[in-house]
Each structure stands twice: as C-alpha cells, then as structure tokens.
Amino acid sequence: MAADITADGTREAAARVLARCRELVRPSLVAAIGRLHPWPGEMAAFSLGWCGVGGAPDSGASEGKGVRQTLTVLGAEAAGAPGESAVAGAVAVELIHAFSLLHDDIMDGDGTRRQRKTVWRAYGTGPAVLAGDALFALAVQTLAEAPGPHTAAAVRCLSGTLSDLVRGQADDLLFAARPWTGPDAVRPDEYRSMAELKTGTLLGCAAALGGLQGGAPEATVTALDRAGRHLGVAFQAVDDLLGIWGDPAVTGKPVYSDLHRRKKTYPVLTALAGDGAASRELAALLRAPLPLDDSAAVHAAGLIEAAGGRTATLAEASHHLDAARDCLGSVPLAARAVREFDVLLAFLLHRRM
C-alpha cells in the first residue's frame, strides 16, 4: 500500500510540474500553429489534441504529457533564468515531437494514438505527410526567429538532433527485417543505441535548449543534454513495458499491441538473449508464420516475463534514471528546478501498467 501511495504522490507532483510548464508554453505554441496554412494547421491541431476532424472542439481528446516542453522550461530555470526565456525552444521541441509522431505513425502503420485515430487515418497519408513537414519547418523557423544572443547555438543544437532522429528511426525500421535469433539478430545494446537516438536525443535537446536560452555555461548545457539522453532511454524502456503490459485505457493502444505487431522491443530482445527454455519457446513462437492472436500474445508475454525480459527492462530504466540524476548533480543548478527534474524522473517508473 505504501508503494501505491508513493506512486500516486509522484504522479500528482509530476502533473503539477507538467501543467505549470504547459500553461507557460501553450500561448506561444497556439500562436505558432496559427501561422500555418489552415489545412495543415487543422491537422497539426488535431495531432496535438486541440480539436477533432474538421476543426470542431473535441472534449475527449488528450493533449499528451508535454514532457519535452517541460524539460526545456526546467533547463532554463536550472540555469537560474526565468522559464519564459526558453519558451521558443519549448515550442520548437514540442513541434518536432509532434512531427516525429505523425510520421512515425505512418511508417509503423499505427491507426490509433491517445485513444483516437492517428492523423493519417483521419485525413489520409499524403495530407499527414504534409502536416508533418509543416510542423518540422515551423519548429526550425520558430527557433531561428527567437531573439537573444544564443539563437545560432540553439539552431545548431536542434539541427544535430534532427539528424540523430533520422538515424534512430532508420535503425528502428531496419531492425524489423532482421531475424529474431542468430548472429544477425538485434542485440539489446544495439536497441539501446537506437533508443538514445530516436527518443533520447530530443529529450536531451529539450533540456539543453533551455540551458542555452537561459545563458548557461557550456558544461551545464552538456550536462542537461546528457541527462535528457539518459532520460530518453529510460522513457523508451518504460514505453516498451507499456506496449506489452500497459492498460489500454491509459496507453490508448490495444493490450499486447507491440506483440501483435511482432515489434522488437527491449523486453523481447533481452528475453531472447537468454538460453533457458522460456527464451527458446519465445523464439519459436515469434518465428512462426502465423499471426499472434490474443491467446498467443498472452502466452508470449508470459514467456518474456519468465525469461527475465520484464525485470531486465525495469532495471534498464532505473539505471538510466540514476545516470540522469548523476548528470544533473555534476554541475551547479538551481535547487527548485533539480527537485522538479527529479519528480519527472520518478514519474517515469510509476506510469501505469
């Protein structure tokens, strides 16, 4: 019971931090979306949970957690600057995140996100690609037009991040064609490297942009970036757990969704890396040409847990959260921002399964 109270308290504290930062950033994010052509602007607003198809309000839509924009605001505050100084960076990373999700959904064939249709399912593939391109361009423009002496460095930071995102997504797509076992199988360390590029690099950029726009010294910006990258690997590990054992009411995806898609995730890869009976049976099940129906997915989830995949993934997340804390502790930072960073780190391990 004590653990549940701690988890509930962590979620409530994280919700307050996320809400505070979202409230600070949202007016500028709304203004940025308003600069788009009305049609891709509507699709962008739909992807952000602000409206339904056609632009009508949708009271049941979710706007997401806003972790990346929060990291940017906290990055500035950690450097001793007001959160307002990093709003342009927060808008830029939120736009890049929206762009990446929109295109990822097309590449992965995902039809739902946050318990409703994805943009490509609601509007069509071509229009969704266009909306993603618009978000990408708007993010760069927003950051490039930000006033202050650190704009050029901020744009360079975002540009490097975009290159890393592409490399990470390329690796993720290529993993799908590789075998489950044998010398060409995807190793857990390869998956970790992909996760740092695909997920960690934008979280690192988010925190680093806040530090840059807040006038932090280079060592502080580097520490914020490294902390965000570790946070990203942990975030992906927990996402992988949710993709198998998550509550659909929370994740917005069907139960065992990653297993039905035979997606190579950290719990699966670490389970397959073992040499026990559960690992061998899991490999045979995944290699079989038949689709994984609900019964087979339940069995696969049990084999992954028996082979240690769930435990190993939780350990991976914990390790990288500790590493993120070490990065934040390596440089002088404002105490309140560090406490709020720590709230977000703890929140990751208490996301609902």
Side-chain angles (χ1 to χ4, degrees), residues 124-153:
T125 302
V129 171
L130 177 66
D133 292 345
L135 288 165
F136 180 106
L138 181 61
V140 176
Q141 181 181 12
T142 298
L143 195 57
E145 292 176 352
H150 310 292
T151 298

Side-chain angles (χ1 to χ4, degrees), residues 164-178:
D164 282 348
L165 284 173
V166 170
R167 285 195 287 269
Q169 181 66 8
D171 286 341
D172 195 26
L173 291 174
L174 288 169
F175 286 171
R178 290 170 61 177

Side-chain angles (χ1 to χ4, degrees), residues 9-28:
T10 297
R11 281 191 286 269
E12 290 170 4
R16 290 192 294 271
V17 174
L18 293 165
R20 176 179 73 83
C21 296
R22 187 163 50 240
E23 183 178 349
L24 176 65
V25 174
R26 184 182 172 109
S28 295

